[in-house]
Amino acid sequence: MEFTAEQRLDDGVVEREFTLGEVPGILWTPGSASAPAPLVLSGHPGGLHRRLPRLVARARHFAAEYGYAVAAIDLPGHGDRPRSAVDEQHRADLRRALEAGEPIDAIIDAFILPLVEKAVPEWRAVLDALSALPEIGGPVWYEGMNSVGIRLALVEPRIAAATLFAQSFVPAALVEEARQFTIPLLYLMQWDDEGMERQPVLDVFDAFGSPEKTLHANLGGHKGTPWFEVDSAARFFARHMS
């Protein structure tokens, strides 16, 4: 892992850009930590950037107010990383099918499953590198994209809890994998999401095998998750840090 830039922000949080092979990322750490900080792996929604403003705001809040370290990376074909012609075609096919009211299951499988296969090993490599830093220690929490989070939680025993955002499509194969999901789960859902039907979202939540899972459903559209859910998520993680 190579750190390429560092700055102290006005809230005291230290922000460092890094690269690990082809993977660009950002690490936010508390400015005055006296002990190694628990780590949050913050995954952004599909197609977007590690500097997505609402992701950055959450990360800085977790670091400044709760003393957590937070890492975000660009997944394959996301942010600053190149998109393949195949990925672009999948995105176009998905938009067309949604606009036409056509079935999307095959498109979701072709698009999301290869992304998960690539992204999960990258997250694990980043976790290995970050865990070696003296300023990071203790439990790990994943928050972010449904599909990546399901697979990552199954193969990575260091993850103690997860917060997943329901505003993304989940392939049927990963819904089945969710039945093996056992760590504590906080599931955030927007009740009026213009891009997601409610019942499939509820079906995914129902599939999770965790004996401790919580669904928070808020009124509003796709990008309308209330800010108070940031603090709810931080308290959720704090309960499961032992």
Side-chain angles (χ1 to χ4, degrees), residues 7 31 112 127-128 150 164 170 175 181 183 220:
Q7 62 176 326
I112 300 299
L127 177 54
D128 288 341
I150 291 169
L164 299 181
V170 182
V175 175
F181 194 101
I183 63 174

Side-chain angles (χ1 to χ4, degrees), residues 84-100:
S84 69
V86 173
D87 285 343
E88 295 289 14
Q89 186 61 56
H90 289 327
R91 287 184 171 92
D93 290 344
L94 180 58
R95 287 193 296 269
R96 178 192 53 77
L98 289 171
E99 290 171 359

Side-chain angles (χ1 to χ4, degrees), residues 1 10 25 46 58 120 126 159-160 192 234 239:
M1 176 174 283
D10 55 13
R58 290 173 69 91
V120 168
V126 168
I159 296 180
D192 306 302
R239 293 198 302 272

Side-chain angles (χ1 to χ4, degrees), residues 4 10 15 26 55 73 97 104 108 140 160 171 178 180 190 199 206-207 210 228 238:
T4 57
D10 55 13
E15 177 185 277
I26 308 173
L55 183 154
I73 63 174
I104 61 172
I108 294 300
V140 180
Q180 306 170 48
Q190 285 302 103
Q199 193 56 52
D206 188 56
S210 174
F228 63 73

Side-chain angles (χ1 to χ4, degrees), residues 1 3 5-18 26-40 56 58-72 130-131 133-137:
M1 176 174 283
F3 287 99
E6 177 176 329
Q7 62 176 326
R8 183 176 293 272
L9 306 174
D10 55 13
D11 53 9
V13 172
V14 177
E15 177 185 277
R16 285 178 282 176
E17 296 268 0
F18 67 82
I26 308 173
L27 175 65
W28 296 270
T29 50
S32 58
S34 59
L39 177 62
V40 182
V56 173
R58 290 173 69 91
R60 292 179 60 173
H61 188 70
F62 287 145
E65 299 298 327
Y66 294 94
Y68 301 154
V70 186
L130 293 175
S131 297
L133 299 176
E135 62 267 40
I136 292 177

